[in-house]
Amino acid sequence: MRSLWRIAQTALCEWENALRSRRALVLLLLYLAAAVLCMNGTISVLGKMETELVRVLRLPDSGQAGVVSETLWKSKSFRNMIAAGVDDRLVFEDISKRHPVELLYAWFAFFCAPLLVVLVSGTRVAEDLRTGVARYMLVRTSRLEWSLGKYAGQALMIACALAVSAVGAWCVALYRLPAATAGRLFLPMLGWGASAWFYSLAWLGLALGLSHLTRSAMRATAFGILGIGVFEVLPHFFPEVEAILPSGARLGLWRTSFTPQAVAVFHLATLGLVYFMAGAAVFARRDA
């Protein structure tokens, strides 16, 4: 019980330092700006595509983005064409019931999560080791408790950032899309933000695990970016290793039923802890 309390105290210190240094504000603004810009760009591209479709097919112009694309998404011939490019039939059956705008937001959230995690959170352990903050904290807690507190604090900050970015993206959709359409997208977009958070846990574990190996923030960032590249490329050459990579559980988060989502969440959380503990194990044998 005392260990849990010390882990919670370390996580709280992480929050206090982030608020004092305005790092938490930077984190929120970075996630929010990325989501807002992506959603605005997505809707703009959809609007231009719909304008061209209206011109070519001589359809009545609705005057608002998202209407034609939603109708096209529901057409049987278009779904058959998309289904041919999706490997998992169950995933396609689930996403075919979703609005195309929320799917584009989900794709963005999953695509950006690894890089944002590495850039924002991947330096936290290395920075504290370089500045000597770690030594002050380790007088009051064990190395493992300190490391787990850093992981928990960063995970909670990323959760808040993703929630804010989902709301920001929805506000753009509310402004750019018909009110009735945007109103239906609020809860689904929050849900995709939660899915992106679970997906980011594996990458957070990797980033913080690598951050235990160095005292240089730049080197920790470089390690993290290199890790993303290796993990994304490796399955193309060695498909059998995908079970131990985040990409192996990613498709489960696109499902709507509980069981595949729960399995994917457990898989990603476990991977994140394994990556993280590997780095923490190396740190346990080093001078702080």
Side-chain angles (χ1 to χ4, degrees), residues 134-194:
R135 292 187 178 183
Y136 171 76
M137 294 295 296
L138 291 175
V139 173
R140 305 181 177 188
T141 183
S142 70
R143 292 192 178 202
L144 179 59
E145 291 165 350
W146 176 75
S147 296
L148 288 173
K150 302 285 284 186
Y151 181 85
Q154 287 298 312
L156 290 175
M157 277 193 278
I158 292 171
C160 292
L162 284 170
V164 170
S165 66
V167 173
W170 177 78
C171 288
V172 174
L174 182 63
Y175 177 73
R176 300 286 308 273
L177 297 176
T181 300
R184 301 196 314 266
L185 296 179
F186 182 70
L187 290 179
M189 289 178 71
L190 280 180
W192 288 118

